[in-house]
Amino acid sequence: MNDINMTYEEALSHAPQEEPARQYFFIERCQDILEKLKEASGKEQFTFHIATFGCQMNSRDSEKLQGILEAIGFVEHATEEADFVLYNTCTVRENANDRVYGRLGYLNSLKKKNPHMMIALCGCMMQEEEVVAKIKKSYRFVDIIFGTHNIFKLAELMYERLEEKKMVVDIWEGTDRIVEDLPTDRKYPFKSGVNIMFGCNNFCSYCIVPYVRGRERSRSPKDILEEVKQLADDGVVEIMLLGQNVNSYGKTLETPVSFAELLTQIDQVEGLERIRFMTSHPKDLSDDLIEAMKNSKKVCRHLHLPLQSGSSRILKVMNRRYTKEQYLELVEKIRTAMPDISLTTDIIVGFPGETEEDFNETLDVVKKVRFDSAFTFIYSKRTGTPAAKMEEQVSEDAIKNRFDRLLAEVQKISSEVCGREEHTVQKVLVEEVNDHEEGLLTGRLSNNTTVHFKGDSSLIGKIVDVYLDESKGFYYMGTLRP
């Protein structure tokens, strides 16, 4: 079993069929090979570097990939001048693909200098057939290509590459599998993301995510709770529950459990201080969830609720399945239950067919809701989505004019509403040493606003009382209270 000259085919015949035992088998095989490579090369260690593009789901996936690489024996390196470089890719916008192609040329120059270097690509971009075809044709120096559904297989794919000495491509069109209990290396010791579901069933007309992340599948509440308890026991005080649409959690379980019910169960975990979640789709945000948030002492007073457009006509073409009026009604319910909540949003400007009247409807929602902040995007065609084929694409001049007006309104409102806690004492989770001014720490309020204040680095990871001296619009300057 420990024969390090075992071929990939022989390894397959010995490997357990069940996960995660199968992957631990391949982790051990890769450990053996890595030790032999160290002896042959005279190197004390082999290094890895992961570059993560895109959303928090990708960031969480990268923590899992890092855990596997460290279990094999690789040591993290700060730059791409490493022995194993992995790009965890995003494909929400087409220019994200172009960025990866551009950086691959640089990796090729590094690989020519390092005979041991391996390059791997994974993530959403790899779920596109034309992308994989292009890499196989034009970027033959890439060693491993895999997608979003099988990141747990990294050790097995690496073993195959090392034994077969050829490019390994393993892309799954979809899956209903969720593999638990593999190594993970968290970026922060005091906070962590926790996947509660994968995939998306919404098919918004501008979005590629359902095609590259697959259909919705929820983790069991038992597995989620177990993970959260382990994290809390390990010193984690804040978790971020992750899903493309957390509000539809539980629909694929044999015994359905709603997101509100899951949230209430997680709220009982001892040692945990804060619970965040994203992303919430307005069409699925239930009264039960609002009630669960209201009654919780741990759920943070911040909700990201993507609007995308304030025009009911455009929302219908986007396939968002709510109207302007329904969105405003939902905001009213949320604010009635939790008057102190911070609301943030996403808005797209220049969606195909958007008129000046449609845009003014969006401005109207922004003025009525008064978001703490908004991520504003200029619509860009995404090949493979229904919106990319739509006629009536909006002119660049009109889009720029509208975008500038929207941004000005968002920033004006944000500067007015974000200072409402000024001259009060608030709980702050200390996250890091401020890298702009010596002696300052940076942390976050429950409502996600940043606070800078003087303090010692020993406070990182702790929740402390801070007096908010002055609002600077998007952040506070504060004073630590004893």
Side-chain angles (χ1 to χ4, degrees):
M1 285 290 286
N2 290 320
D3 181 4
I4 57 172
N5 296 315
M6 191 187 298
T7 67
Y8 178 61
E9 289 300 322
E10 289 169 338
L12 286 178
S13 67
H14 286 89
Q17 294 306 301
E18 295 298 315
E19 301 289 6
R22 181 185 181 88
Q23 295 314 311
Y24 280 104
F25 170 88
F26 282 107
I27 286 171
E28 289 180 13
R29 304 284 77 70
C30 289
Q31 287 170 347
D32 292 339
I33 293 177
L34 196 62
E35 287 305 313
K36 280 293 179 185
L37 285 173
K38 285 180 188 176
E39 288 175 24
S41 65
K43 294 175 69 166
E44 288 187 13
Q45 62 184 29
F46 272 62
T47 57
F48 76 91
H49 177 79
I50 299 176
T52 307
F53 303 80
C55 67
Q56 283 169 302
M57 296 285 280
N58 272 20
S59 296
R60 182 59 178 155
D61 285 347
S62 288
E63 289 182 343
K64 296 173 183 176
L65 293 162
Q66 178 158 340
I68 293 169
L69 289 170
E70 288 175 343
I72 290 169
F74 285 91
V75 177
E76 187 176 16
H77 190 67
T79 73
E80 287 147 313
E81 293 180 345
D83 299 297
F84 187 89
V85 176
L86 189 153
Y87 284 172
N88 188 359
T89 62
C90 171
T91 192
V92 169
R93 287 173 181 76
E94 226 145 312
N95 60 3
N97 291 18
D98 295 334
R99 282 176 63 203
V100 171
Y101 291 134
R103 289 175 72 162
L104 280 176
Y106 171 60
L107 287 192
N108 191 25
S109 67
L110 294 178
K111 189 168 184 176
K112 287 174 180 174
K113 300 174 191 172
N114 181 356
H116 299 291
M117 185 178 182
M118 287 198 294
I119 299 166
L121 303 173
C122 72
C124 295
M125 183 177 163
M126 299 306 116
Q127 293 293 145
E128 299 180 80
E129 282 183 29
E130 62 273 20
V131 167
V132 175
K134 181 173 180 175
I135 292 167
K136 287 165 76 172
K137 180 181 177 183
S138 305
Y139 301 89
R140 291 293 308 160
F141 54 87
V142 171
D143 297 279
I144 303 171
I145 303 171
F146 56 115
T148 59
H149 305 304
N150 58 342
I151 64 159
F152 65 89
K153 280 188 69 177
L154 175 58
E156 182 173 345
L157 300 176
M158 182 185 289
Y159 187 83
E160 182 179 356
R161 167 64 186 86
L162 290 167
E163 286 297 326
E164 300 293 311
K165 306 289 192 293
K166 64 182 181 182
M167 180 190 284
V168 173
V169 180
D170 190 17
I171 307 294
W172 297 5
E173 284 189 20
T175 185
D176 58 0
R177 298 176 72 186
I178 297 173
V179 177
E180 306 279 359
D181 301 324
L182 279 167
T184 299
D185 186 343
R186 299 194 312 274
K187 184 178 179 182
Y188 300 98
F190 55 87
K191 67 176 184 175
S192 178
V194 175
N195 295 109
I196 65 169
M197 60 190 300
F198 303 90
C200 183
N201 289 353
N202 289 321
F203 290 93
C204 300
S205 61
Y206 53 82
C207 185
I208 197 75
V209 168
Y211 304 96
V212 295
R213 283 274 176 187
R215 303 299 172 267
E216 280 180 10
R217 54 203 188 279
S218 297
R219 291 178 67 197
S220 80
K222 177 177 170 290
D223 288 336
I224 295 168
L225 279 165
E226 197 171 292
E227 180 179 349
V228 172
K229 285 172 184 172
Q230 286 176 352
L231 289 169
D233 289 344
D234 198 31
V236 168
V237 294
E238 178 180 297
I239 59 165
M240 170 76 81
L241 304 176
L242 298 172
Q244 305 301 149
N245 175 16
V246 292
N247 298 341
S248 63
Y249 169 81
K251 292 178 180 176
T252 61
L253 298 173
E254 282 186 27
T255 305
V257 173
S258 71
F259 182 51
E261 290 168 329
L262 178 70
L263 209 56
T264 302
Q265 291 176 39
I266 293 173
D267 200 60
Q268 309 302 314
V269 175
E270 290 184 20
L272 191 65
E273 299 283 345
R274 287 183 171 184
I275 304 167
R276 299 187 186 277
F277 57 85
M278 70 182 319
T279 296
S280 281
H281 196 301
K283 75 177 175 62
D284 297 314
L285 203 152
S286 67
D287 292 348
D288 286 346
L289 179 56
I290 295 172
E291 194 65 18
M293 292 175 67
K294 174 187 172 183
N295 294 333
S296 169
K297 290 185 172 63
K298 297 180 181 179
V299 173
C300 290
R301 287 303 189 249
H302 169 236
L303 181 63
H304 188 71
L305 195 64
L307 169 67
Q308 306 305 5
S309 172
S311 162
S312 294
R313 186 183 74 84
I314 293 294
L315 286 169
K316 186 173 182 179
V317 183
M318 287 179 165
N319 194 34
R320 292 291 289 172
R321 286 175 277 178
Y322 54 84
T323 63
K324 171 187 177 180
E325 291 71 27
Q326 287 169 333
Y327 187 93
L328 289 171
E329 184 184 335
L330 180 60
V331 167
E332 182 62 30
K333 280 184 186 177
I334 294 165
R335 286 240 165 97
T336 299
M338 296 166 283
D340 59 339
I341 198 161
S342 162
L343 289 177
T344 56
T345 198
D346 297 333
I347 299 171
I348 296 171
V349 176
F351 187 81
E354 181 189 73
T355 64
E356 184 66 16
E357 184 181 349
D358 292 321
F359 174 71
N360 284 329
E361 295 279 358
T362 298
L363 274 184
D364 184 52
V365 174
V366 168
K367 290 172 182 175
K368 283 175 175 168
V369 175
R370 294 178 65 77
F371 297 103
D372 285 57
S373 67
F375 296 96
T376 51
F377 305 95
I378 289 174
Y379 169 76
S380 61
K381 273 189 185 183
R382 186 62 193 83
T383 306
T385 64
K389 301 171 188 171
M390 291 177 184
E391 297 177 1
E392 298 183 83
Q393 300 287 332
V394 184
S395 72
E396 285 185 23
D397 288 345
I399 289 175
K400 186 180 185 310
N401 174 271
R402 290 172 193 170
F403 184 81
D404 290 345
R405 285 154 58 200
L406 173 65
L407 198 59
E409 190 64 39
V410 164
Q411 290 178 341
K412 171 179 165 290
I413 292 169
S414 184
S415 67
E416 293 167 359
V417 303
C418 283
R420 57 182 176 262
E421 289 91 5
E422 192 177 54
H423 305 314
T424 65
V425 175
Q426 298 290 333
K427 298 285 184 188
V428 175
L429 173 59
V430 187
E431 295 191 336
E432 58 192 355
V433 172
N434 187 291
D435 55 5
H436 294 299
E437 190 172 333
E438 195 173 343
L440 286 186
L441 297 175
T442 297
R444 286 187 190 276
L445 300 177
S446 170
N447 70 9
N448 212 37
T449 307
T450 303
V451 184
H452 306 298
F453 59 97
K454 285 185 180 178
D456 185 82
S457 61
S458 63
L459 294 175
I460 291 173
K462 294 183 170 63
I463 295 177
V464 298
D465 289 329
V466 176
Y467 180 79
L468 306 180
D469 297 292
E470 184 183 4
S471 170
K472 295 288 190 177
F474 298 101
Y475 65 92
Y476 288 102
M477 297 303 298
T479 302
L480 182 66
R481 281 292 171 91

